[in-house]
Amino acid sequence: MSISQISKFHIFAHLSIKEPLLDKLQRLGCMEITQIEKEKEMVFHNWRNIEEDINKNGTALKLNNVKFCIDLLSNYGNGEKKGLNSLFTSKKVYRYAELLKIVEQFDYENIFIQCKSLDSELNHLKLDENRLITAKQEIQKWQELDLDFKEIEQRKYIEYTLGTIAKKNFDNLVQDIEHQDKTAVTQIIKEEKNRLYIVFIVLKENFSKIEPILQKHHFEIYKYSYPFTGTPEQILKTISEQLNIVAKKRFEIEKLLTKLHRDNQLIYPLHDILSIEQEKEEAKKLLKKSKEIIAIKGWIQDKDILKLQKKLKEHFKAYEIEFSKPEKGEPVPIALTNHNLIKPFEIIAELYSLPDYHEIDPTPILSVFYFIFFGLCLSDVGYGASMALLSYFAIKKLKLEKGAIKFFKLLYYCGISGILGGILVGSWFGDILNYLPPQLGNIREFLVQRLALFQPTDNPLPLLILSLALGVTQVFTGIILKFIDNIRNDKLYDGLMDQVSWLLFLTGIILFMTKGMMPLFMGNISLIITVIGALSIILTQGRAKNNILLKLGSGILALYDVTGYLSDVLSYSRLFALGLATGIIAQMFNMLATMVNIPYIGFLLAIIVLIVGHTFNLLISGLSAFIHDARLQYVEFFTKFYQAGGIPFRPFSLKTKYIHVEDT
């Protein structure tokens, strides 16, 4: 079984060794600490939480301050890799003792004060910049106006009214104003889309007559609200000068932040040691204590029990530890322990959900189907080889984290699968072998004609039949796994009625549909199997009902579920469709490359078309294969037997983000 066996543990220790004990358990990193529930474990009824021993604010506050510094300074790290690039960056290794010294010696508080001050200055500069940019954008619309904004409001006898109006209303507005006041002057300052920026000049004594007309034609009056003086042209010059000043100040601050980041790289290991301390503080909340004893409860993998016992015996005396198996119905955390060849496929299962502790881990069987299906979906030797080589290079040459290595191993296996699928259908970067010189015709014939078992572009039916046959195999495997799971849980009767009856019925239908390909006597055998399976379903699927008529009715209605199984099998035709699409698109790019007949540079352009086209097809086809293959596992396979919902095993350990800890 690939689900690791888990045991429950209780540790009772003297209060005097609480800190070193927790420290050692965390550095061992093999056990998950859980809450002790007084109601369920009466022995702890009078025990108390260790609240007074918990540093309630110190570590958390320090960690938050350090996070603030890192979030700010990491934006000014020259050449620092972020996002996906960070996967390819190795983490620096520190000994645990070194980290403890960093906490004691590194003066992060001074850095935090500087970061807060510089960040505040940057925020103020950003506000000033936004204010200036907003003013600039607004005043640029009045740039052609040769008037001082401040003087406009101070004119004694003349009223200047600035504003905007829809173009369609402008002529009517001018006519109404001229009809009302012949002395009024209208000037268009700027046209923008469907609006006009205009200024009206009238005598102050006549403005009261003009104002209702402006409102009638939806004229929007503009009120200047900035402290700058001068004409729009002069104001824009002033704003540009102030923006330059802001940019210079920001540049100086960013230089300081860059230097601060460069000179304080210890802030990253400081973050991680504080995170370790914070996790320890959180773990303390789960403990209980009496007057002189602390109690620790949790989970541990059976394979780590001896290691735990050995370490505790080496370092402590005032303690007792006991182990017990999980109780029936008790939620148990999950840790998978698959073979190294299968382990990468855990990613596919984990994307869906971990198995329950008491059920079968689907990863070993899933890995076989996923490998085969991916090869049929990609089905090209060139694409598979490219994927495998790139993944192998990443694993061997790049400094990757464990999670990234696991993912690239999965891609490597998928690439191998793509190679095998390509050999099966004779696809080598599509039909690129057809463009080989005639002298290499024997090689082409061997690789495409003799080595390949299918020719999907010429005769697609055999490959479609293979895809459906694989679908039947996986669906049946799911039903059988559910039957096995029922036996493991002492539900043999349910397994016989719910899984064996359907296996008989579906097998009979498949044999009946393919009887033309078999000896004549198989027709009668298929009919007998189908009838036995159908009767089993009718007589057993309604067994939860009390009334005999309801039992039979429910059983008859259950036969309708056969459409669901047939639909599931038809879903596997996507294996054929995706493989065929990959080959056809590859052939299209090969054909496009041959159409580039430009003198002198035609060959170079053809190479570019091939590289770009096949790279695009590899990415799209690889992604499609990954997604649709996973979909078949989740929707058609898992639904037959898999309950999922497992709780991941989360050991109390030295969890870090920026560094690796070498515990010596």
Side-chain angles (χ1 to χ4, degrees), residues 26 29 71 84 155 174 194 292 307 352 383 404 593 599 658:
Q26 188 175 30
D71 290 342
L84 289 175
R155 297 295 177 96
V174 173
N194 295 320
E292 295 181 340
K307 180 173 71 172
Y352 185 82
Y383 294 163
Y658 300 106

Side-chain angles (χ1 to χ4, degrees), residues 335-492:
L336 302 179
T337 55
N338 288 298
H339 188 276
N340 287 337
L341 286 174
I342 297 172
K343 204 162 191 64
F345 292 93
E346 291 176 358
I347 293 173
I348 307 301
E350 289 168 355
L351 282 174
Y352 185 82
S353 180
L354 286 170
D356 182 81
Y357 181 73
H358 300 287
E359 70 174 327
I360 298 170
D361 175 21
T363 309
I365 298 173
L366 173 146
S367 63
V368 176
F369 285 115
Y370 194 90
F371 181 84
I372 295 171
F373 294 172
F374 194 97
L376 286 178
C377 289
L378 192 60
S379 65
D380 188 278
V381 176
Y383 294 163
S386 300
M387 183 181 291
L389 287 172
L390 290 172
S391 302
Y392 184 81
F393 172 81
I395 294 167
K396 293 297 181 181
K397 300 298 183 181
L398 301 179
K399 296 177 180 179
L400 302 172
E401 295 297 303
K402 287 183 179 179
I405 291 175
K406 190 175 180 180
F407 176 71
F408 278 107
K409 280 186 177 180
L410 175 63
L411 291 184
Y412 175 75
Y413 293 149
C414 289
I416 298 298
S417 174
I419 293 173
L420 297 176
I423 293 173
L424 195 68
V425 299
S427 179
W428 301 69
F429 285 112
D431 61 346
I432 205 166
L433 295 182
N434 291 337
Y435 299 93
L436 291 175
Q439 296 84 347
L440 301 176
N442 290 335
I443 295 176
R444 180 177 62 246
E445 182 182 354
F446 173 75
L447 295 177
V448 177
Q449 301 294 333
R450 297 184 181 179
L451 197 60
L453 298 179
F454 299 95
Q455 299 292 333
T457 53
D458 298 330
N459 184 15
L461 189 59
L463 190 59
L464 176 60
I465 293 173
L466 174 64
S467 300
L468 296 178
L470 287 170
V472 171
T473 303
Q474 189 172 42
V475 169
F476 272 45
T477 302
I479 298 172
I480 292 169
L481 287 175
K482 183 61 179 178
F483 176 68
I484 294 171
D485 193 49
N486 276 330
I487 293 175
R488 289 172 64 246
N489 293 303
D490 297 325
K491 296 180 180 179
L492 176 61

Side-chain angles (χ1 to χ4, degrees), residues 87-330:
L87 291 173
F88 309 115
T89 306
S90 59
K91 294 180 178 179
K92 191 171 180 181
V93 178
Y94 287 86
R95 292 194 302 274
Y96 188 75
E98 288 181 297
L99 294 177
L100 297 179
K101 289 180 181 178
I102 289 173
V103 175
E104 296 173 359
Q105 299 173 4
F106 188 63
D107 182 17
Y108 91 93
E109 292 182 355
N110 182 45
I111 300 170
F112 174 70
I113 292 170
Q114 293 181 66
C115 286
K116 285 290 287 186
S117 175
L118 293 173
D119 183 60
S120 178
E121 290 184 50
L122 280 176
N123 288 333
H124 281 106
L125 288 175
K126 185 64 178 177
L127 290 173
D128 290 342
E129 184 181 49
N130 290 338
R131 178 178 56 82
L132 290 168
I133 290 173
T134 302
K136 182 179 180 180
Q137 292 172 345
E138 187 176 308
I139 294 168
Q140 277 177 335
K141 297 172 182 178
W142 302 99
Q143 192 168 355
E144 303 301 322
L145 182 67
D146 193 20
L147 290 171
D148 189 316
F149 276 123
K150 290 296 182 183
E151 291 183 3
I152 287 175
E153 299 176 357
Q154 298 171 2
R155 297 295 177 96
K156 188 174 182 180
Y157 300 107
I158 299 175
E159 181 75 31
Y160 290 88
T161 305
L162 281 64
T164 63
I165 189 172
K167 283 184 181 180
K168 62 181 182 180
N169 297 335
F170 177 70
D171 292 338
N172 294 332
L173 174 67
V174 173
Q175 290 176 8
D176 288 352
I177 289 177
E178 289 179 350
H179 180 75
Q180 185 67 40
D181 183 0
K182 299 292 184 181
T183 64
V185 176
T186 305
Q187 181 181 353
I188 298 176
I189 305 301
K190 182 181 179 181
E191 292 188 22
E192 186 181 83
K193 295 183 180 179
N194 295 320
R195 296 195 73 78
L196 297 174
Y197 291 79
I198 58 179
V199 58
F200 285 108
I201 307 171
V202 297
L203 296 173
K204 280 189 178 290
E205 60 192 39
N206 294 335
F207 182 72
S208 59
K209 302 176 183 178
I210 299 298
E211 191 171 18
I213 298 174
L214 298 179
Q215 295 175 355
K216 173 185 174 184
H217 293 282
H218 306 290
F219 178 82
E220 296 180 6
I221 297 176
Y222 171 71
K223 292 293 184 182
Y224 177 71
S225 59
Y226 297 100
F228 309 107
T229 58
T231 65
E233 192 70 37
Q234 293 169 335
I235 291 173
L236 288 172
K237 184 178 179 181
T238 302
I239 290 175
S240 295
E241 291 172 352
Q242 292 194 15
L243 283 171
N244 288 334
I245 292 171
V246 169
K248 288 178 181 178
K249 288 181 178 179
R250 182 168 55 225
F251 178 73
E252 292 301 320
I253 292 173
E254 288 175 348
K255 278 178 61 179
L256 290 173
L257 288 168
T258 301
K259 184 177 185 302
L260 202 60
H261 177 268
R262 184 176 61 247
D263 296 342
N264 294 279
Q265 290 295 297
L266 289 179
I267 200 164
Y268 292 100
L270 177 64
H271 171 278
D272 283 349
I273 187 61
L274 289 174
S275 295
I276 289 169
E277 290 298 319
Q278 179 63 18
E279 184 171 3
K280 192 185 297 182
E281 299 296 334
E282 292 299 318
K284 287 179 183 178
K285 297 177 182 178
L286 304 174
L287 311 186
K288 299 292 181 186
K289 74 172 184 178
S290 63
K291 189 175 181 181
E292 295 181 340
I293 305 295
I294 62 165
I296 306 173
K297 173 191 172 184
W299 302 100
I300 184 170
Q301 298 183 62
D302 288 0
K303 66 184 180 65
D304 292 325
I305 289 177
L306 289 177
K307 180 173 71 172
L308 173 64
Q309 290 175 323
K310 180 181 177 182
K311 289 292 182 181
L312 291 180
K313 189 174 182 180
E314 287 177 359
H315 294 88
F316 306 103
K317 293 183 179 179
Y319 78 94
E320 288 289 339
I321 185 167
E322 60 180 37
F323 301 95
S324 59
K325 287 298 179 183
E327 298 174 9
K328 189 174 182 180
E330 187 174 13

